[in-house]
Amino acid sequence: MKIPSETWLEAYLSYKQKVWSINTLKSETCRLSKIAHILNGDPTFLLELTKRQGKYTQLTTWARVIDFYDYLVKHKAVTENNYREFREENKHLFSKSKAYKKNFPTVSYDEAYKKVNKIKNTKVRLKALQLLESGMRFSESFSFERLAKDSGRITGKGDKVRDVFCTIDCNFEISHSFFYKQLLTHTELKPHDLRKIFAMKMAKEF
């Protein structure tokens, strides 16, 4: 299998502009560009190159490559995603158990809401409330399309479309780095903490 041309890489990254934040796009462009020239469809070769990486880094590298090849298969640039098949057939090599520990916030949903609601910057406050209320990721929140007064639709990871409960509209641009710093400074919470707190609330209710 031949290595995908730079044109396909550019097309993939252009497509991802719809669902990724600017910072995510920059970081993913850099990371994928570093390995794109060695992606020849041979998963054993990629495994050899990534086996010295930390477990989490290896997992994210494979996830990145698999998503790229899913795009290539969808657009008939390649006939199959050997990387996905290899990972499925060798799950013991990609165990998440030692990759990272899940850390859950110690604050409740109501406590987080009070903290967020005190943020003076309107854009940061509204975006944080939107994420806390809906459980959306920061990047996918920019794809939100309102369908009803209290709900809408987003495009998330893997280009999967799902409906979410959300009453707050945030039709403005805000950088991830600025949002991250402001949120952390005023609430001691990170953007992904808001998603976790939402999930914990849903788990208790259902």
Side-chain angles (χ1 to χ4, degrees):
M1 186 181 293
K2 66 179 182 180
I3 296 173
S5 67
E6 289 186 12
T7 302
W8 278 113
L9 178 59
E10 291 171 1
Y12 169 75
L13 293 171
S14 177
Y15 174 71
K16 285 296 183 179
Q17 284 181 342
K18 302 173 185 177
V19 293
W20 284 347
S21 67
I22 294 175
N23 285 338
T24 299
L25 182 63
K26 287 181 179 178
S27 64
E28 289 301 305
T29 298
C30 179
R31 289 166 181 164
L32 192 54
S33 296
K34 287 181 179 179
I35 59 173
H37 66 286
I38 56 91
L39 298 178
N40 59 0
D42 181 359
T44 59
F45 183 55
L46 181 63
L47 184 67
E48 183 67 25
L49 290 176
T50 60
K51 68 180 183 180
R52 290 190 178 88
Q53 293 179 334
K55 198 63 180 178
Y56 180 75
T57 302
Q58 184 189 46
L59 289 176
T60 54
T61 297
W62 275 79
R64 187 173 296 118
V65 171
I66 288 170
D67 191 65
F68 176 43
Y69 263 72
D70 279 344
Y71 175 87
L72 295 178
V73 171
K74 181 179 179 181
H75 291 82
K76 300 181 180 179
V78 297
T79 56
E80 56 190 349
N81 190 340
N82 294 335
Y83 298 104
R84 178 176 290 283
E85 292 177 7
F86 182 86
R87 190 179 66 175
E88 288 298 314
E89 293 171 359
N90 298 275
K91 292 182 178 180
H92 64 286
L93 298 175
F94 302 95
S95 172
K96 295 181 180 180
S97 60
K98 296 181 180 180
Y100 55 86
K101 284 187 176 182
K102 290 184 178 180
N103 296 313
F104 292 96
T106 57
V107 300
S108 68
Y109 183 91
D110 290 338
E111 289 170 337
Y113 185 91
K114 289 178 181 178
K115 285 175 176 285
V116 169
N117 213 29
K118 290 180 180 178
I119 298 174
K120 293 183 178 180
N121 185 291
T122 302
K123 289 186 176 182
V124 174
R125 183 177 69 254
L126 288 177
K127 176 56 69 175
L129 288 173
Q130 184 191 49
L131 301 186
L132 181 63
E133 179 189 65
S134 65
M136 289 187 284
R137 298 178 179 86
F138 178 84
S139 58
E140 65 191 15
S141 69
F142 293 97
S143 68
F144 178 74
E145 296 178 35
R146 181 157 300 288
L147 299 177
K149 185 171 69 174
D150 61 355
S151 64
R153 183 167 294 162
I154 61 172
T155 303
K157 280 190 172 182
D159 298 328
K160 293 180 180 178
V161 177
R162 72 177 190 276
D163 294 339
V164 295
F165 170 83
C166 184
T167 63
I168 301 171
D169 288 311
C170 297
N171 300 319
F172 48 76
E173 290 292 327
I174 182 172
S175 74
H176 183 271
S177 59
F178 177 75
F179 177 72
Y180 184 101
K181 291 176 183 177
Q182 288 290 310
L183 182 64
L184 188 61
T185 298
H186 294 290
T187 68
E188 297 183 336
L189 296 169
K190 299 175 183 178
H192 200 61
D193 288 335
L194 303 178
R195 177 174 165 80
K196 291 178 180 178
I197 292 169
F198 167 83
M200 291 163 61
K201 176 175 179 285
M202 291 296 102
K204 287 181 179 179
E205 292 181 355
F206 296 97

